Amino acid sequence: MRSRREGCHAGMSVLALCALLGCATAQPPVPPEPQPGPWAAQLESLRRQGDHWLTRGDRARAAEAYEVARRVAESLDDRRTLVGTLNDIGRVALARGDSTLAITSHGRAVTLARELGAPDLLLESVTALGTATHQAGQTEEAEQFYQEALELAQQKADQGAEATLRNNLGLLRQAKGDLEQAAQQFRHAMALNQATGNLASEASNHVNLGMVAEARQAYDAAEQEFERALELDKAAEHRTGIAADLLRLGRVADRRGFPDRGLAFFERAYHSYLAQGDRVGAGAALTQAVACAKKLGREADVARLGQALSQLSVPASAR
């Protein structure tokens, strides 16, 4: 008989062999994934509410929801989500014309994203900060932020982000009067948007190329770009883009000496803006339509459109 010690050694040899050959052994149970608590769920709900109100055009309610979300993220020390809520707040602030708040919010988001070492959040935040400084007229700072974000986008091979940044850099070049460099950036952005199938963004590239053509008084080329933008915006069901495209087509037609075509486009733009509840856009379209009707000597149209314009200026409570 083998001694107990020999049996022990034999058992150890088997264990050693299993370790060497990778034998299957019983594994400890995998702990379940942590489930979000009630506050985390509320945080996500608040951000969705903000997105909903922003889509509906109610920027005040969107801002309120995002601000509450920011406070919840702060209380939980959820810094990744905090970066997102700060960018949400900055985006709404910029839409409301408050570039100071937008720059402050996006600037803090950039700082947090750098501390976290999160390239995805940094790309989003630096891009947003560039947009805010751009809209505030701080063009040199905007270009620096766009260039930094462009490098991040290229490192991540993020074609959508790169397209956005090249388009914005093109706008900066256009503002400086460098129309050829601007057009090159717009075309590069367009190629990227075509590769990703982003119709609405591709439409924006066509709009910007049309604006470059207008600046060169190449109205035929501008009209072609705006017509293509309208096709893409319709395919994407981008309603605000559709109305703006119609307005641009009316302007170009009028400048080319076709006020009758301009009048038709301006009226279509008016109806599109009005259906979306954008009374400012509707008023701008009607004003241009009245001017075209006067050029054509159509007194009945002048009276009809003038009456519609007067109705727009009447407060809703008085109608």
Side-chain angles (χ1 to χ4, degrees):
M1 294 179 61
R2 292 181 299 173
S3 67
R4 184 181 297 271
R5 183 181 298 275
E6 288 170 342
C8 182
H9 284 175
M12 291 178 66
S13 297
V14 171
L15 289 174
L17 183 61
C18 278
L20 181 63
L21 298 178
C23 298
T25 57
Q27 296 294 323
V30 178
E33 289 291 329
Q35 298 298 311
W39 282 107
Q42 183 186 10
L43 179 55
E44 185 61 29
S45 176
L46 285 165
R47 293 190 71 189
R48 284 198 302 268
Q49 287 178 34
D51 294 343
H52 167 76
W53 289 121
L54 191 59
T55 302
R56 295 279 299 271
D58 194 334
R59 295 166 182 166
R61 288 189 180 183
E64 290 173 4
Y66 290 144
E67 175 58 25
V68 176
R70 181 198 64 78
R71 292 200 298 268
V72 172
E74 293 263 28
S75 70
L76 296 172
D77 193 34
D78 184 349
R79 297 200 295 166
R80 282 192 64 90
T81 305
L82 179 58
V83 171
T85 59
L86 286 167
N87 284 326
D88 292 338
I89 291 169
R91 189 170 71 253
V92 176
L94 199 60
R96 300 174 78 180
D98 190 347
S99 58
T100 300
L101 176 58
I103 291 171
T104 300
S105 297
H106 292 312
R108 188 180 173 203
V110 167
T111 300
L112 280 171
R114 291 194 200 282
E115 291 175 359
L116 290 168
D120 55 335
L121 295 179
L122 185 59
L123 172 57
E124 175 191 349
S125 303
V126 174
T127 300
L129 183 55
T131 302
T133 51
H134 188 172
Q135 190 161 319
Q138 301 173 18
T139 55
E140 291 185 7
E141 293 86 345
E143 184 163 3
Q144 291 174 3
F145 290 131
Y146 287 153
Q147 290 290 358
E148 179 184 354
L150 181 60
E151 292 178 9
L152 290 168
Q154 291 174 328
Q155 290 169 12
K156 288 169 53 61
D158 189 333
Q159 290 184 313
E162 183 179 351
T164 297
L165 290 159
R166 289 195 179 281
N167 184 77
N168 292 353
L169 284 166
L171 292 173
L172 287 176
R173 299 286 186 276
Q174 184 178 359
K176 292 179 179 179
D178 191 347
L179 299 182
E180 186 54 40
Q181 284 292 321
Q184 288 180 15
Q185 291 285 6
F186 296 146
R187 292 192 188 98
H188 197 158
M190 185 189 304
L192 291 165
N193 283 320
Q194 288 171 342
T196 58
N198 190 331
L199 300 181
S201 293
E202 185 188 344
S204 295
N205 303 144
H206 281 287
V207 166
N208 291 333
L209 284 168
M211 300 287 280
V212 169
E214 267 195 292
R216 291 170 168 165
Q217 297 185 346
Y219 296 125
D220 288 353
E223 185 175 51
Q224 291 174 6
E225 296 290 353
F226 294 151
E227 285 175 344
R228 181 55 180 156
L230 179 60
E231 291 174 4
L232 291 167
D233 278 328
K234 284 187 174 182
E237 296 185 346
H238 184 210
R239 298 193 303 161
T240 56
I242 291 168
D245 294 335
L246 291 168
L247 197 65
R248 295 184 189 101
L249 282 166
R251 182 179 69 231
V252 169
D254 189 27
R255 287 179 176 175
R256 291 182 64 203
F258 301 108
D260 53 338
R261 293 185 59 201
L263 174 59
F265 279 123
F266 288 136
E267 284 208 68
R268 287 166 62 186
Y270 156 66
H271 288 297
S272 182
Y273 278 125
L274 189 64
Q276 297 175 58
D278 185 345
R279 297 172 65 81
V280 174
L286 270 181
T287 300
Q288 296 291 336
V290 169
C292 284
K294 287 180 178 178
K295 288 180 182 178
L296 293 165
R298 297 181 182 177
E299 296 302 325
D301 285 334
V302 171
R304 174 178 59 84
L305 296 169
Q307 184 178 10
L309 187 58
S310 298
Q311 287 294 317
L312 279 179
S313 63
V314 177
S317 57
R319 294 200 302 271

